[in-house]
Amino acid sequence: QVQLVDTGGGLVQAGGSLRLSCVASGRTFSAYAMGWFRQAPGKEREFVAAILWSGGSTNYADSVKGRFTISRDNAKNTVYLQMNSLKPEDTAVYNCAATRGRVLTVRAPTLYDYWGQGTQVTVSS
């Protein structure tokens, strides 16, 4: 069974930075893609960024492109989300997720098989 533990959230002022981490554990961890999603109160879960475990190709939501960077460390089974130039509208619970196999799109949360417990990011104005 794969477990994802995401950490690194917190309270930051607008313009600040945070780095989220997601560590995957399990007897034999293997994923096609890992992604970050977020959900603000009263809103639907939305795609933030994803990375292919093999090859490292990345995909970003337009709202975070140029400010957020997703990366991975295969040896540590860890995915990172570096968030710079944070805005109040980035406030949400952020969850990492992983897919077991190839998916048609990395942007659809319903296609992910494993989820972290979530970490709160709050950006004050």
Side-chain angles (χ1 to χ4, degrees):
Q1 182 70 11
V2 172
Q3 290 186 324
L4 304 180
V5 178
D6 37 37
T7 59
L11 173 63
V12 65
Q13 288 188 330
S17 299
L18 283 173
R19 188 176 82 154
L20 306 184
S21 299
C22 175
V23 180
S25 64
R27 197 156 57 93
T28 53
F29 174 71
S30 176
Y32 171 72
M34 292 191 71
W36 286 97
F37 294 80
R38 66 187 183 187
Q39 187 167 20
K43 295 188 176 181
E44 292 188 356
R45 177 175 283 166
E46 66 171 345
F47 168 76
V48 176
I51 187 166
L52 298 189
W53 201 244
S54 176
S57 177
T58 58
N59 194 309
Y60 294 94
D62 288 343
S63 59
V64 306
K65 201 172 292 184
R67 298 188 298 124
F68 291 10
T69 302
I70 188 170
S71 61
R72 79 207 192 290
D73 184 333
N74 294 47
K76 295 181 179 180
N77 284 351
T78 301
V79 171
Y80 305 98
L81 185 68
Q82 178 66 43
M83 305 186 295
N84 299 328
S85 301
L86 282 161
K87 304 175 181 180
E89 51 263 45
D90 294 318
T91 295
V93 174
Y94 285 69
N95 295 83
C96 69
T99 71
R100 280 194 300 262
R102 184 181 292 271
V103 294
L104 289 178
T105 172
V106 295
R107 292 175 171 246
T110 55
L111 298 182
Y112 284 75
D113 301 293
Y114 307 107
W115 289 84
Q117 80 286 0
T119 184
Q120 175 71 46
V121 172
T122 303
V123 184
S124 64
S125 56

